[in-house]
Amino acid sequence: MGRILIAEDEQRIASFVEKGLRANGFATTVVADGDAALAHAVSGGFDLMVLDLGLPRRDGFAVLQSMRQAKVTTPVIILTARDSVGDTVAGLEGGADDYMTKPFRFEELLARVRLRLKSADRGPEVTVLRHGDVSLDLRTRRAQTPDRTVDLTAREFALLELFLRHPGQVLSREQILSHVWGYDFDPGSNVVDVYVRTLRRKIGPDRIETVRGMGYRVD
C-alpha cells in the first residue's frame, strides 16, 4: 500500500483526492500549507506527493525546490490550476515528475499515481484493457470489437476505460460523474446517460448493462 502526501489548501479538492486514493488502497495524509508540506516530505515517510502550487506560507515551487535541495527523491505530481506553458516547464525542470492541471479527472490522476509508484520489478505496463470481446488500447485510445475498430472522444474513452477497469461492478451515475467529469460535477446532470447511449452505439448495445435504480456495468 503506497503512502501519499496531499498538499492542497482547497478543502473540497483535498477531500475529493483523499477519498479517491483511499478507496483505491492508498494511505493518505493531507496538509494545507507549504511549510507543513515540506516538513512532512523531508520526513521520508511517503512514497509520493501530490502538490498544489498555490499553497499559503510557502508555494509549491518553493516546496519542490527545498525538497530537491535536501536530496528528497520522493516522486511529485503537481496538481494545479496554473496551466501556462511557463509554469509547466518550471515545475518539471524544478524536479516534479508529472504536472496536471485543474479541473481534472480522478481516473487520470490515479493512473499517474500508479505509474509513478510502479516498482522496477513489477510486470510490464498494461497498455490494453480487455473484457469479453471488447478491448481498449490506452495508447491509441481506440476500442476494438470483433467486427470493428472504434475511434472515441476523450469522454467516451474515459467512460469505457472506467468500465473496463471495473468489469462486472455496478457503477452509479455519481461514481461515473466523479471519475470521468472530475470533482466539479453536477449530480443532477443526465450527461452519463447521454454518453452511455453514445458508447453503446459505437461498441454494441448489449455490452453495457443498465442496472435499474443503481447504475451501469460491463458484464
Side-chain angles (χ1 to χ4, degrees):
M1 179 172 63
R3 299 159 299 172
I4 300 178
L5 177 62
I6 303 165
E8 172 62 64
D9 65 322
E10 188 171 336
Q11 184 177 359
R12 184 167 62 104
I13 297 177
S15 176
F16 172 75
V17 173
E18 181 181 34
K19 288 178 181 177
L21 290 174
R22 286 190 174 182
N24 282 275
F26 296 101
T28 59
T29 298
V30 176
V31 295
D33 65 74
D35 288 346
L38 181 59
H40 279 73
V42 299
S43 72
F46 298 92
D47 301 302
L48 183 139
M49 182 180 189
V50 178
L51 176 65
D52 180 29
L53 293 181
L55 296 172
R57 297 188 183 175
R58 186 191 302 252
D59 72 14
F61 285 126
V63 171
L64 184 60
Q65 181 182 33
S66 298
M67 286 175 60
R68 297 317 188 209
Q69 287 176 346
K71 308 301 182 186
V72 177
T73 59
T74 304
V76 173
I77 298 176
I78 291 177
L79 182 62
T80 180
R82 302 184 190 181
D83 59 358
S84 72
V85 174
D87 283 330
T88 304
V89 171
L92 295 173
E93 290 187 345
D97 298 87
D98 209 338
Y99 195 105
M100 286 186 65
T101 58
K102 304 171 184 174
F104 63 98
R105 291 191 302 112
F106 178 77
E107 282 291 304
E108 182 179 354
L109 174 62
L110 179 62
R112 295 188 188 209
V113 166
R114 285 172 170 161
L115 177 63
R116 298 303 163 191
L117 291 176
K118 187 175 64 175
S119 60
D121 59 354
R122 198 171 295 179
E125 181 183 357
V126 174
T127 58
V128 178
L129 299 177
R130 291 186 175 87
H131 182 66
D133 59 0
V134 177
S135 64
L136 179 66
D137 191 314
L138 302 181
R139 297 163 300 181
T140 65
R141 297 190 167 226
R142 287 177 172 171
Q144 183 76 48
T145 66
D147 57 346
R148 73 182 74 177
T149 298
V150 182
D151 289 315
L152 302 171
T153 68
R155 297 292 191 196
E156 291 165 357
F157 169 82
L159 181 58
L160 183 56
E161 180 187 7
L162 178 62
F163 280 131
L164 293 183
R165 288 191 184 277
H166 301 85
Q169 179 181 336
V170 178
L171 300 172
S172 70
R173 288 172 176 80
E174 291 75 17
Q175 285 177 302
I176 296 170
L177 279 168
S178 175
H179 283 281
V180 177
W181 277 265
Y183 63 91
D184 196 17
F185 64 85
D186 175 8
S189 171
N190 71 337
V191 67
V192 170
D193 308 279
V194 172
Y195 271 83
V196 167
R197 285 197 298 269
T198 303
L199 197 55
R200 279 171 169 160
R201 284 198 294 268
K202 290 191 172 184
I203 67 171
D206 299 328
R207 293 186 171 93
I208 302 175
E209 178 186 358
T210 300
V211 182
R212 194 168 300 277
M214 297 178 66
Y216 298 99
R217 69 179 170 196
V218 170
D219 203 0

